[in-house]
Amino acid sequence: MSLTIPASGHRSALPPGPVFPQLIRSEWAKLRTVRATVCCLLATAAIAVGISVIMATVIDKKGPQPIAQMVINSHIGYGVGQLAVVVLAVTTIGSEYSTGMIRTSLTAVPRRGPWLVAKALVTAVLVLVTGVLLSIVCFAVEYASAPAVAGSVTDPSVVRAVLGGGLYLSALAVLSLAVGAVLRSTVGGIVVMFTLIFVVPTLASAPVLSGFEHFLPGSLVPGSAGWAIMQPGPMLGGLGPWAGFGVLCAWAAAAMEGALYLLEKRDA
């Protein structure tokens, strides 16, 4: 069943509605009371930490371990765990449409832009804090399992890569939420994000498409580009850490612009 909320042609005449801090509190109350939020965050933590423990256990470690490789190993679990973050972010907006709450939300907040920005900001901050904590825990597991370590834990590239786990997941959450807002569908948003994160990079790197790498730059796909922020150095054949993260942020910003435009212009 589709919901139709006529888009007014006189937006300037709308009452201002709640101020932004009130929107933040409202969206935080909604996000923390939804069961899916806890389930998705627990799934992300279980997958990321669980795989880190497995990696620390099965890898045969003899002699000093390069700290850069330990950072890389600590983020392997994010490859699967990021899907739970995608589900969380898409569900945050998709559930508004599927349950009919979108009608109530947009009635209470006539100016739709601040409402969507507040929802994205609350989701991003929650995922950022969770991602940073998980990244530190995963790295600590790898570090504690090494008989000796070659390199300094205070090296700026190591600190940036470890904390980059939170930055990556946070930007990915904003992109996912925006895609869900554009499609107005939880399932559709998850499918599109799964395709962008897993399918497109796989196709771009397939040997059969080796002659088209200039037209299908896998490093510019949001997941592949953003992953660079979690690497101690530039990814093989890819972008540098901050350049890659910038590409992911550009994807998120463009998707948010599209979502804001459609939220204002079309029926909700």
Side-chain angles (χ1 to χ4, degrees):
M1 179 180 70
S2 61
L3 296 172
T4 302
I5 299 177
S8 171
H10 303 283
R11 289 274 174 210
S12 59
L14 290 173
V19 295
F20 197 70
Q22 292 175 320
L23 292 177
I24 293 292
R25 288 194 294 269
S26 173
E27 292 305 322
W28 169 240
K30 281 195 269 185
L31 186 61
R32 64 186 172 84
T33 55
V34 175
R35 181 179 300 178
T37 301
V38 176
C39 292
C40 289
L41 293 181
L42 288 177
T44 304
I47 293 170
V49 177
I51 292 180
S52 290
V53 172
I54 293 173
M55 292 294 297
T57 303
V58 301
I59 294 180
D60 185 19
K61 298 177 179 178
K62 298 179 179 178
Q65 301 297 304
I67 197 165
Q69 187 60 47
M70 294 171 63
V71 174
I72 294 173
N73 291 345
S74 70
H75 284 138
I76 291 177
Y78 275 50
V80 180
Q82 65 183 330
L83 187 57
V85 171
V86 168
V87 173
L88 166 62
V90 174
T91 302
T92 299
I93 186 70
S95 61
E96 294 267 2
Y97 289 98
S98 63
T99 63
M101 276 296 296
I102 187 69
R103 189 184 299 275
T104 303
S105 296
L106 297 185
T107 299
V109 189
R111 298 188 183 279
R112 303 174 179 187
W115 170 78
L116 184 62
V117 171
K119 184 177 286 291
L121 181 60
V122 168
T123 304
V125 171
L126 175 61
V127 173
L128 173 64
V129 173
T130 303
V132 168
L133 291 176
L134 284 180
S135 193
I136 293 173
V137 170
C138 292
F139 176 72
V141 169
E142 293 292 329
Y143 192 88
S145 67
V149 178
S152 172
V153 72
T154 59
D155 185 285
S157 65
V158 172
V159 174
R160 185 259 309 147
V162 172
L163 300 182
L167 294 174
Y168 170 75
L169 292 181
S170 181
L172 185 69
V174 174
L175 173 60
S176 302
L177 187 145
V179 169
V182 168
L183 299 177
R184 298 187 292 183
S185 168
T186 299
V187 174
I190 293 172
V191 170
V192 169
M193 289 304 302
F194 181 88
T195 302
L196 283 176
I197 294 172
F198 297 108
V199 178
V200 174
T202 301
L203 291 177
S205 61
V208 69
L209 297 177
S210 59
F212 297 91
E213 60 270 9
H214 296 297
F215 304 99
L216 295 171
S219 62
L220 297 184
V221 177
S224 299
W227 199 267
I229 194 66
M230 297 189 289
Q231 305 299 303
M235 294 180 68
L236 181 62
L239 300 170
W242 290 110
F245 183 66
V247 170
L248 174 58
C249 289
W251 275 85
M256 280 295 292
E257 284 289 335
L260 288 168
Y261 175 82
L262 292 174
L263 194 61
E264 290 284 349
K265 297 298 182 182
R266 75 182 176 192
D267 292 341

